Amino acid sequence: MKKMLGIGFWEFVARIILRNRILILSSIVLITILLATQWKYIQFTQTEANLIPADDKINVDYRKFLSHFGEEGNLIVIATKDQKLFTPKVYKDWCELIQTIKSHKEVSLIVSVDNLQQLTKNDSLQTFELKPFVDESKTQDPQYLKQIKSELFSKLPFYEGLLFNKKTGAIRSAIYLDKKIVNTKQRKNFVLNDLIPAIEKFKKESGVDLHTSGMPYIRTLNAKTITDEIGLFIGAALLVTSLIFFYFFRSFRATMISLIIVIIGVMWSFGIMGVLGYEITVLTALVPTLVIVIGIPNCIFFINKYHQEYYKHSNKAKSLQRVITKTGTATLMTNITTAVGFATFIATNNILLREFGVVTTINILGIYLLCLLLIPIFFSYIPPPIPRHLNHLERESLTSFLRWIVNTVKFNRLGVYITSICLLILGIIGIYKIRISGSIIEDMPKKTAFFDDIRFFEKEFDGVMPLEIMIDTKRKNGALKLSNLRRMEDLEQTIVDVPELSKPLSIVNIAKSFNQAYYNGNPDFYTLPSNQEEIFLLPYIKNSLKKTNNNQLKSYISSDGRIARMTTFIKDENGEKMEAIEAHLRNKVDKLFPSPRYEVIITGKASVFQKGTKYLLDNLLSSLLFAFLITGGLVAIMFRSFKMVLVSIIPNLLPLLMTAGLMGFLGIPLKPSTILVFGIAFGMSVDDTLRFLAQYRLELSRNDWKIKKSVFATFDDAGISMFYTSIVLFFGFSVFMLSSFGGTIALGGLVALTLFFGMLSNLVLLPSLVLSLNRTLANEQEFLEPTIDILEHTDEEIDELENKNN
C-alpha cells in the first residue's frame, strides 16, 4: 500500500488525467450514454418492504400461510357514515359504482349491501340456498331502503364488523382483488386509473363522502407519493447545495462544474440500478439525492484545495496537479469510509437493505471517481481563479469561527472534556427513553387523504392491517369438527376482548350462519350448533357445498378441511403493542391447541413488519461494530497506532450517542428509517476525522514533530474544507425533511443533526484528544516511516519528484 498510494502513484495518476483529457471525457460521455440506456429497465417495487431474511422462521411461516390461502393483502374497502346512502337516488348511484368496479377483471369478488346473499333453508331438498338480500325492484321506495338497513343491522350478525358498525351506522363494501395481481403493476393501474376515478365520480354526483382503504390501495398511493418525491429531492438538493457552494466560492463557473459532475452521478445512479436489475424501493429512491449530497462535498474539497494551491504560487498547471498528488490518498480514504457506512447494510442478510447498500456503495465510489477525473480536467480548460474567487480563504466570519475553535482547544481542553462527558451522560439517559415502533403506517404521509381514511377505518372497523392465524389440525376435515370449532370460538372471544383487534372472521362465523339459516334466519341462533343440531345440519351443509365451487369456505379452510384460517385486523397506532398482543394470543393458542397435536401460526403483514423492525434493531449494533472495525483498520494501516484508532473513533461515537439520546427525549422511536441513521451518519462523519488526521500527519513532518504547532496548523488547511463540507452535508440531508413521509423526514433531520454534532466533535474534541493522547506518537521512527507515503505530502517532496520525472 505504501508504494501503491505513495507520491509516485498519485503523481502518475495526475499525469495520466491531465495528459489524456479528451480520452477521459469521451469515455465518461460514453459510459453515461450506456448507463442511460439502462433506465428503461428501472421499475418501482410492487411489494412491501420485508426486512427479515428469507430463511428466517418468520418468513418461512408467512410463506407457508400464503401457500395455503394465497395473498392476504387483497382487500380494498369503501365506507361512509352518510345516512343519505339509503335514499333512492344515492343508493342507485352506489349500485352503479359497485357494478362499475366489479366489471374490471382485476376484481374477483365484491361484498356489498346491494349484492348480499342471504342463506335460506330448503327443507324439500335438504339444502341451503343463497337468495338476494335486497329486492332491486323495490329500491326506489324510501321506506324499503330504511327497512333493509334495519334488517341488515338486526338480522345479519355475520356481517357485523365486516360490512357495518351497528353503533355508529357506518357502512362499507369489501372489494377483493385477484390475488395474482396484488404484487404487480396491474394493481397500481387499476387503483389509479379505474378505482379512484370511479369513486371520485360517485362523490361528485351524490355528494356523499366516501372513505377508501385497504392494503392494495394504501400501497399504491404510498408508492406514488414516493415516486413523486424523487424529483422533489433531486431538484431541492441541487438547488440547496449549489446555492451554498456559490456562497462559499462566489464562482459561477465552479458552481456549474460541480453541478455537472453530480448530475452525471445521478444519471449513473439510475443506470446502475437498471444494470443490476434492482427495483426502486423506499430506500433506493434516496440514492440519487445521496449522490448529490455526497458529491458536492467532494467537489468542495478538491476545488478548495485547488484554490489553496493557486493562492500559494499562482501556477494553474502546478495547482491542478497537486490537487491530485497532495490529496489523492486522503480523499480516497474518506470516500471509502463513507462507502463503508453504507456497505454495512450489505451484511444484514436482507434483500432490501443489501440492494440499498450495494447501489449506494458503488455510487459513492463512482462520484469520487468523477470528481477526481473531471475537476482537474474542467478547470484546466477555464481561466485561473481571480482574487474574488479566493477571498473565501480569508473570509472574516470563517476565520473568526476557526479562531474560536483554536482558542477553545488551546486554552480550555478541560472544558471540552467535561462538556463531552456531560453530553455523553445525557445521551445515555435519553437512550433508555427510546421506544421501538413496528408500525406499518407511522411513516406514511399524514397530511394525505388516504392517511385520514386509514384512521377512519381504525375508528369505525378497528383497523385495516391484517393479522392472520392459521390452525393446522393435522387431520383431514379436522377443522370442521365441532370440538375444534368450539376451540376456535374460544380463541375468537379472546381476540374480541383485545381493544386493538377487530372482530375476527373464520369458518366459525360461517358455521354460525348455517345454524342461523337452519332456524329460518333467526339471529338468536347465530351460534355454533350443539352436538344434536350438528346431526340435522350436516346433510344440509353437504348438499349445499356440492352445488357450488365458489363458496366462502375456500377463503377460510383448506381444500382437505385440515387447516383453518382466522383473520382479524389490528389498529396500527404505533406497533408498540403488537408483541404483547401476539404473546397474549400465543398463550391462549397454546392452551386451546397444544403442540404437537396442532400447529398454529400467527402471521400477517402487520406482524411480519413489526418483527422486521426488531430484526433491524438487533442488527444495528453488529453493523455499527463492523463499521467501527473497518474504520479503525484503515486508521491503523495509516498510523500504525492503537491510540490513533481510539482518537478516530471517540469523536464519531459521541455524536451517535447524542442523537440517540435526543431521539429518546423527543419521543422519536426506533423504526426502520431512524435505525439507518447511525450507519449512514458514522460513515460520513468519519470523513472529517480522516481529513484532519491526514493533514495533522503532514503538519508534523513540516513542523519538526512539534505537536501543538502541528495541530493548530492543521486548522489552517483542513479546517476550512471540514467546515464547508459539513455545512453542505447538513443542509443537503435537511432536504429530506421536505418529504411527506415521517420516516424520510426523521432520516434526513437526524442524519443532518448527527453530522452537525460530528463536525463540532471533529473540530473541537478530536484535536483535544490528539494533543492529550498523541504525545508518544511524535517519534519519527515509530510514526513516520511506515506511513509517510500514504498521506498528504509536502511541497518539497512533490517538487523533488516532479523535477526527477521532468
Short mmCIF file of all heavy atoms in Angstrom, two decimals, residues 470-498:
data_model
loop_
_atom_site.label_atom_id
_atom_site.label_comp_id
_atom_site.label_asym_id
_atom_site.label_seq_id
_atom_site.Cartn_x
_atom_site.Cartn_y
_atom_site.Cartn_z
N MET A 470 -53.30 -19.23 11.47
CA MET A 470 -53.52 -20.45 10.69
C MET A 470 -53.42 -21.65 11.63
O MET A 470 -52.40 -21.85 12.29
CB MET A 470 -52.49 -20.56 9.57
CG MET A 470 -52.78 -21.70 8.59
SD MET A 470 -51.65 -21.70 7.18
CE MET A 470 -50.18 -22.37 7.92
N ILE A 471 -54.50 -22.44 11.68
CA ILE A 471 -54.60 -23.57 12.60
C ILE A 471 -54.59 -24.87 11.81
O ILE A 471 -55.51 -25.15 11.04
CB ILE A 471 -55.89 -23.47 13.44
CG1 ILE A 471 -55.93 -22.13 14.19
CG2 ILE A 471 -56.00 -24.64 14.40
CD1 ILE A 471 -57.28 -21.80 14.77
N ASP A 472 -53.53 -25.63 11.99
CA ASP A 472 -53.40 -26.92 11.32
C ASP A 472 -53.81 -28.01 12.30
O ASP A 472 -53.13 -28.27 13.30
CB ASP A 472 -51.95 -27.12 10.86
CG ASP A 472 -51.78 -28.38 10.02
OD1 ASP A 472 -52.75 -29.17 9.91
OD2 ASP A 472 -50.67 -28.58 9.48
N THR A 473 -54.96 -28.67 12.01
CA THR A 473 -55.44 -29.74 12.90
C THR A 473 -54.75 -31.07 12.65
O THR A 473 -54.91 -32.01 13.44
CB THR A 473 -56.96 -29.93 12.71
OG1 THR A 473 -57.22 -30.35 11.36
CG2 THR A 473 -57.70 -28.62 12.98
N LYS A 474 -54.00 -31.14 11.53
CA LYS A 474 -53.23 -32.33 11.16
C LYS A 474 -54.12 -33.55 10.88
O LYS A 474 -53.65 -34.69 10.93
CB LYS A 474 -52.18 -32.66 12.23
CG LYS A 474 -51.15 -31.55 12.42
CD LYS A 474 -50.05 -31.94 13.38
CE LYS A 474 -49.03 -30.82 13.51
NZ LYS A 474 -47.93 -31.16 14.43
N ARG A 475 -55.38 -33.29 10.60
CA ARG A 475 -56.31 -34.36 10.24
C ARG A 475 -57.24 -33.87 9.14
O ARG A 475 -57.67 -32.71 9.16
CB ARG A 475 -57.16 -34.80 11.45
CG ARG A 475 -56.37 -35.48 12.55
CD ARG A 475 -57.29 -35.90 13.68
NE ARG A 475 -56.54 -36.50 14.78
CZ ARG A 475 -57.10 -36.97 15.90
NH1 ARG A 475 -58.41 -36.91 16.05
NH2 ARG A 475 -56.34 -37.50 16.84
N LYS A 476 -57.54 -34.73 8.20
CA LYS A 476 -58.46 -34.37 7.14
C LYS A 476 -59.83 -34.03 7.73
O LYS A 476 -60.36 -34.79 8.56
CB LYS A 476 -58.59 -35.51 6.13
CG LYS A 476 -59.43 -35.15 4.92
CD LYS A 476 -59.45 -36.29 3.90
CE LYS A 476 -60.26 -35.89 2.68
NZ LYS A 476 -60.30 -36.97 1.66
N ASN A 477 -60.37 -32.89 7.31
CA ASN A 477 -61.65 -32.36 7.80
C ASN A 477 -61.64 -32.07 9.30
O ASN A 477 -62.70 -31.89 9.91
CB ASN A 477 -62.81 -33.32 7.47
CG ASN A 477 -63.06 -33.43 5.99
OD1 ASN A 477 -62.98 -32.44 5.26
ND2 ASN A 477 -63.35 -34.64 5.51
N GLY A 478 -60.43 -32.03 9.87
CA GLY A 478 -60.33 -31.75 11.30
C GLY A 478 -60.83 -30.36 11.67
O GLY A 478 -61.35 -30.15 12.78
N ALA A 479 -60.67 -29.39 10.75
CA ALA A 479 -61.11 -28.03 11.04
C ALA A 479 -62.63 -27.91 11.09
O ALA A 479 -63.16 -26.92 11.59
CB ALA A 479 -60.55 -27.07 9.99
N LEU A 480 -63.34 -28.91 10.56
CA LEU A 480 -64.80 -28.87 10.54
C LEU A 480 -65.41 -29.58 11.73
O LEU A 480 -66.64 -29.53 11.92
CB LEU A 480 -65.32 -29.51 9.24
CG LEU A 480 -64.96 -28.76 7.95
CD1 LEU A 480 -65.38 -29.60 6.74
CD2 LEU A 480 -65.62 -27.40 7.91
N LYS A 481 -64.58 -30.23 12.53
CA LYS A 481 -65.11 -30.92 13.70
C LYS A 481 -65.65 -29.90 14.70
O LYS A 481 -65.04 -28.86 14.95
CB LYS A 481 -64.02 -31.76 14.36
CG LYS A 481 -63.62 -33.00 13.58
CD LYS A 481 -62.65 -33.86 14.36
CE LYS A 481 -63.26 -34.37 15.65
NZ LYS A 481 -62.36 -35.28 16.38
N LEU A 482 -66.77 -30.22 15.30
CA LEU A 482 -67.42 -29.29 16.21
C LEU A 482 -66.53 -28.95 17.40
O LEU A 482 -66.50 -27.80 17.86
CB LEU A 482 -68.75 -29.88 16.69
CG LEU A 482 -69.66 -28.95 17.50
CD1 LEU A 482 -69.98 -27.69 16.72
CD2 LEU A 482 -70.94 -29.68 17.91
N SER A 483 -65.78 -29.93 17.88
CA SER A 483 -64.89 -29.66 19.03
C SER A 483 -63.84 -28.63 18.68
O SER A 483 -63.51 -27.74 19.49
CB SER A 483 -64.23 -30.97 19.49
OG SER A 483 -63.47 -31.54 18.44
N ASN A 484 -63.30 -28.72 17.45
CA ASN A 484 -62.30 -27.73 17.03
C ASN A 484 -62.93 -26.37 16.75
O ASN A 484 -62.32 -25.33 16.99
CB ASN A 484 -61.55 -28.24 15.80
CG ASN A 484 -60.55 -29.33 16.14
OD1 ASN A 484 -60.03 -29.37 17.25
ND2 ASN A 484 -60.31 -30.24 15.21
N LEU A 485 -64.15 -26.38 16.23
CA LEU A 485 -64.85 -25.11 16.01
C LEU A 485 -65.09 -24.40 17.33
O LEU A 485 -64.99 -23.16 17.41
CB LEU A 485 -66.19 -25.37 15.30
CG LEU A 485 -66.11 -25.82 13.84
CD1 LEU A 485 -67.49 -26.14 13.30
CD2 LEU A 485 -65.46 -24.73 12.97
N ARG A 486 -65.38 -25.13 18.37
CA ARG A 486 -65.59 -24.52 19.69
C ARG A 486 -64.29 -23.95 20.24
O ARG A 486 -64.27 -22.93 20.90
CB ARG A 486 -66.20 -25.55 20.64
CG ARG A 486 -67.67 -25.84 20.34
CD ARG A 486 -68.20 -26.98 21.16
NE ARG A 486 -69.62 -27.22 20.85
CZ ARG A 486 -70.27 -28.34 21.13
NH1 ARG A 486 -69.61 -29.35 21.73
NH2 ARG A 486 -71.54 -28.48 20.83
N ARG A 487 -63.18 -24.66 19.97
CA ARG A 487 -61.87 -24.12 20.38
C ARG A 487 -61.60 -22.80 19.65
O ARG A 487 -61.12 -21.83 20.24
CB ARG A 487 -60.77 -25.12 20.05
CG ARG A 487 -60.80 -26.41 20.86
CD ARG A 487 -59.79 -27.41 20.29
NE ARG A 487 -59.91 -28.70 20.91
CZ ARG A 487 -59.20 -29.13 21.95
NH1 ARG A 487 -58.30 -28.32 22.48
NH2 ARG A 487 -59.38 -30.34 22.45
N MET A 488 -61.91 -22.78 18.36
CA MET A 488 -61.71 -21.54 17.58
C MET A 488 -62.62 -20.43 18.09
O MET A 488 -62.21 -19.26 18.14
CB MET A 488 -61.99 -21.81 16.10
CG MET A 488 -60.99 -22.72 15.42
SD MET A 488 -61.38 -22.92 13.67
CE MET A 488 -60.94 -24.63 13.42
N GLU A 489 -63.85 -20.77 18.47
CA GLU A 489 -64.76 -19.76 19.01
C GLU A 489 -64.21 -19.17 20.29
O GLU A 489 -64.30 -17.96 20.52
CB GLU A 489 -66.13 -20.38 19.26
CG GLU A 489 -67.18 -19.36 19.72
CD GLU A 489 -68.51 -20.00 20.03
OE1 GLU A 489 -68.52 -21.16 20.53
OE2 GLU A 489 -69.55 -19.36 19.79
N ASP A 490 -63.62 -20.01 21.11
CA ASP A 490 -62.99 -19.54 22.35
C ASP A 490 -61.85 -18.58 22.03
O ASP A 490 -61.69 -17.53 22.68
CB ASP A 490 -62.48 -20.75 23.15
CG ASP A 490 -62.16 -20.38 24.59
OD1 ASP A 490 -62.24 -19.19 24.95
OD2 ASP A 490 -61.83 -21.32 25.37
N LEU A 491 -61.05 -18.93 21.01
CA LEU A 491 -59.95 -18.04 20.60
C LEU A 491 -60.50 -16.73 20.04
O LEU A 491 -59.95 -15.65 20.30
CB LEU A 491 -59.08 -18.75 19.56
CG LEU A 491 -57.90 -17.95 18.99
CD1 LEU A 491 -56.96 -17.48 20.10
CD2 LEU A 491 -57.15 -18.77 17.95
N GLU A 492 -61.58 -16.80 19.27
CA GLU A 492 -62.20 -15.59 18.73
C GLU A 492 -62.63 -14.65 19.85
O GLU A 492 -62.49 -13.43 19.74
CB GLU A 492 -63.40 -15.96 17.86
CG GLU A 492 -63.03 -16.46 16.48
CD GLU A 492 -64.23 -16.51 15.54
OE1 GLU A 492 -65.35 -16.21 16.00
OE2 GLU A 492 -64.03 -16.83 14.35
N GLN A 493 -63.17 -15.20 20.93
CA GLN A 493 -63.60 -14.35 22.04
C GLN A 493 -62.41 -13.65 22.67
O GLN A 493 -62.50 -12.48 23.08
CB GLN A 493 -64.32 -15.21 23.09
CG GLN A 493 -64.94 -14.40 24.23
CD GLN A 493 -65.90 -13.33 23.74
OE1 GLN A 493 -66.81 -13.61 22.96
NE2 GLN A 493 -65.70 -12.10 24.19
N THR A 494 -61.28 -14.37 22.75
CA THR A 494 -60.05 -13.73 23.26
C THR A 494 -59.63 -12.56 22.37
O THR A 494 -59.22 -11.51 22.86
CB THR A 494 -58.92 -14.78 23.32
OG1 THR A 494 -59.30 -15.85 24.18
CG2 THR A 494 -57.63 -14.15 23.84
N ILE A 495 -59.78 -12.75 21.06
CA ILE A 495 -59.43 -11.68 20.11
C ILE A 495 -60.37 -10.49 20.27
O ILE A 495 -59.93 -9.33 20.29
CB ILE A 495 -59.48 -12.21 18.66
CG1 ILE A 495 -58.36 -13.23 18.45
CG2 ILE A 495 -59.36 -11.07 17.65
CD1 ILE A 495 -58.42 -13.94 17.10
N VAL A 496 -61.67 -10.76 20.41
CA VAL A 496 -62.65 -9.69 20.57
C VAL A 496 -62.37 -8.87 21.83
O VAL A 496 -62.59 -7.65 21.86
CB VAL A 496 -64.08 -10.27 20.61
CG1 VAL A 496 -65.10 -9.21 21.02
CG2 VAL A 496 -64.45 -10.86 19.26
N ASP A 497 -61.84 -9.51 22.86
CA ASP A 497 -61.57 -8.82 24.12
C ASP A 497 -60.35 -7.91 24.05
O ASP A 497 -60.12 -7.12 24.98
CB ASP A 497 -61.36 -9.86 25.24
CG ASP A 497 -62.64 -10.61 25.59
OD1 ASP A 497 -63.73 -10.08 25.27
OD2 ASP A 497 -62.55 -11.72 26.14
N VAL A 498 -59.56 -8.03 22.98
CA VAL A 498 -58.39 -7.15 22.81
C VAL A 498 -58.84 -5.88 22.08
O VAL A 498 -59.29 -5.94 20.93
CB VAL A 498 -57.28 -7.85 22.00
CG1 VAL A 498 -56.10 -6.89 21.77
CG2 VAL A 498 -56.81 -9.11 22.72
#
